[in-house]
Amino acid sequence: MAYLTLLLAILHVHKALCEETFWDTTVWLSGTMTLECVYPLMDNLTQVEWTKISGKEAVTIAVYNPNHSMYVETNYLGRVHFPNSTQGFHNMSLSFYDASEADVGTYSCLFHSFPGGRWEKKIKVVQSGSFAAAVSPNSYLSAEPGQNVTLSCQLQRSQPVQHVIWEKVQPHQVDILASCDLSQRTSYMSKYPRQTWSNCSHGSTQSVLIIRDAIAADSGLYRCRSEPSTGEKTVVIKLIITDGGASKHFVLLIAGGSVSLFLVILIIIVIIFYNRRRKRQVRIPLKEPRDKQNKVATNCRSPTSPIQSVDDETEDIYVNYPTFSRRPKPRL
């Protein structure tokens, strides 16, 4: 009986520790950090509560009820706000104006809904840094918007894998997308705003993550962490969602640029041809007087020319002599 009691106590402590150390998102500490919390379902929401978990205690930060005004705890007045509250009750992300090391810890975002009940997301804030800087992709995958994207992670065959976790890694935070316990064939429902699906079957040689109706925001680094008995294995895939509209615009831009370049070249050729033709037209009038001068020069009759001598024989020559008045001689 004592042994059973001790075993139950150990299980209870282990469960409490697991609940205490588990979180959906890890965020780097920054002065203006934002803790994302978006309710994914369409249930009727009644209230949302933000708390900071410290050991077994939960310190209230803010409480929002549509039928009442927003309540913010005194120590957080002027330090936190809800940037997306005007867009709807489903997005109750919490932003800090001037966060400090005192804000490091685990936070809880709890929605009360009908008929869904409680929906909780836990976020862990750690010291500043960059998650993406320590991650290098093993492979690349590209897809177009609207497609269903399948990411695959090869598992070890020699050693049975007990646990597989899919994460999206961003510079400022890491989100858990799927968590599978392959031994018990159970999966964890992700609190990530974008809904994903992952297989969770014991003995499978690979784990897949499916993103339905991909959008540009799905681009980024995805990490698959498997835990065989020999240690953890990590695979990182970089997903690139190409913007179809931007691609078409880019193609049209290139085509338009080519047409414009062709027109410019054509205009330049026309201008060059026109200038050359104009120069030719200017040179021709200058040559004509010279030709005429040459013709005049050749037509001038030289005194020694036989042609001129012949002409002289045939033409009459007239000479004008002056007439002098006759005066009588003076008489002596």
Side-chain angles (χ1 to χ4, degrees), residues 270-328:
V270 172
I271 292 174
I272 294 174
F273 179 77
Y274 176 77
N275 289 336
R276 288 184 177 179
R277 186 174 180 181
R278 188 176 181 182
K279 288 180 180 179
R280 289 177 181 176
Q281 292 177 352
V282 171
R283 288 177 181 176
I284 291 174
L286 293 176
K287 289 181 179 181
E288 288 180 354
R290 293 180 182 177
D291 295 339
K292 290 181 179 179
Q293 290 176 2
N294 293 333
K295 290 181 180 179
V296 172
T298 55
N299 291 332
C300 290
R301 299 184 181 94
S302 174
T304 61
S305 174
I307 299 175
Q308 183 178 3
S309 62
V310 174
D311 293 339
D312 292 339
E313 293 178 357
T314 58
E315 292 182 356
D316 295 333
I317 300 174
Y318 297 93
V319 178
N320 295 325
Y321 293 96
T323 57
F324 301 94
S325 60
R326 292 180 181 183
R327 294 179 181 181

Side-chain angles (χ1 to χ4, degrees), residues 20 32 73 84 87 139 222 251 330:
E20 198 172 283
T32 57
E73 204 273 334
N84 301 304
Q87 301 177 5
S139 60
Y222 292 82
V251 171

Side-chain angles (χ1 to χ4, degrees), residues 132-148:
V135 177
S136 58
N138 303 105
S139 60
Y140 295 83
L141 179 65
S142 62
E144 294 183 357
Q147 291 183 341
N148 293 335

Side-chain angles (χ1 to χ4, degrees), residues 1 36 52 93 103 116 222 298:
M1 187 68 178
E36 294 182 355
K52 182 179 180 181
S93 300
D103 296 311
Y222 292 82
T298 55

Side-chain angles (χ1 to χ4, degrees), residues 188-324:
Y188 164 75
M189 183 177 179
S190 171
K191 302 301 191 301
Y192 188 65
R194 292 280 292 152
Q195 294 299 306
T196 59
W197 179 88
S198 179
N199 64 332
C200 193
S201 58
H202 182 69
S204 178
T205 59
Q206 68 175 358
S207 176
V208 298
L209 178 74
I210 298 178
I211 304 173
R212 294 184 175 89
D213 300 326
I215 59 177
D218 292 325
S219 299
L221 296 174
Y222 292 82
R223 180 169 58 190
C224 170
R225 294 193 292 116
S226 57
E227 298 177 356
S229 57
T230 55
E232 184 179 272
K233 179 185 176 182
T234 302
V235 175
V236 179
I237 303 171
K238 185 172 183 179
L239 176 62
I240 303 172
I241 304 297
T242 59
D243 190 351
S247 300
K248 293 179 181 178
H249 179 71
F250 182 69
V251 171
L252 293 175
L253 184 63
I254 293 179
S258 301
V259 173
S260 301
L261 181 61
F262 176 76
L263 291 176
V264 170
I265 294 175
L266 184 61
I267 292 172
I268 293 174
I269 294 174
V270 172
I271 292 174
I272 294 174
F273 179 77
Y274 176 77
N275 289 336
R276 288 184 177 179
R277 186 174 180 181
R278 188 176 181 182
K279 288 180 180 179
R280 289 177 181 176
Q281 292 177 352
V282 171
R283 288 177 181 176
I284 291 174
L286 293 176
K287 289 181 179 181
E288 288 180 354
R290 293 180 182 177
D291 295 339
K292 290 181 179 179
Q293 290 176 2
N294 293 333
K295 290 181 180 179
V296 172
T298 55
N299 291 332
C300 290
R301 299 184 181 94
S302 174
T304 61
S305 174
I307 299 175
Q308 183 178 3
S309 62
V310 174
D311 293 339
D312 292 339
E313 293 178 357
T314 58
E315 292 182 356
D316 295 333
I317 300 174
Y318 297 93
V319 178
N320 295 325
Y321 293 96
T323 57
F324 301 94

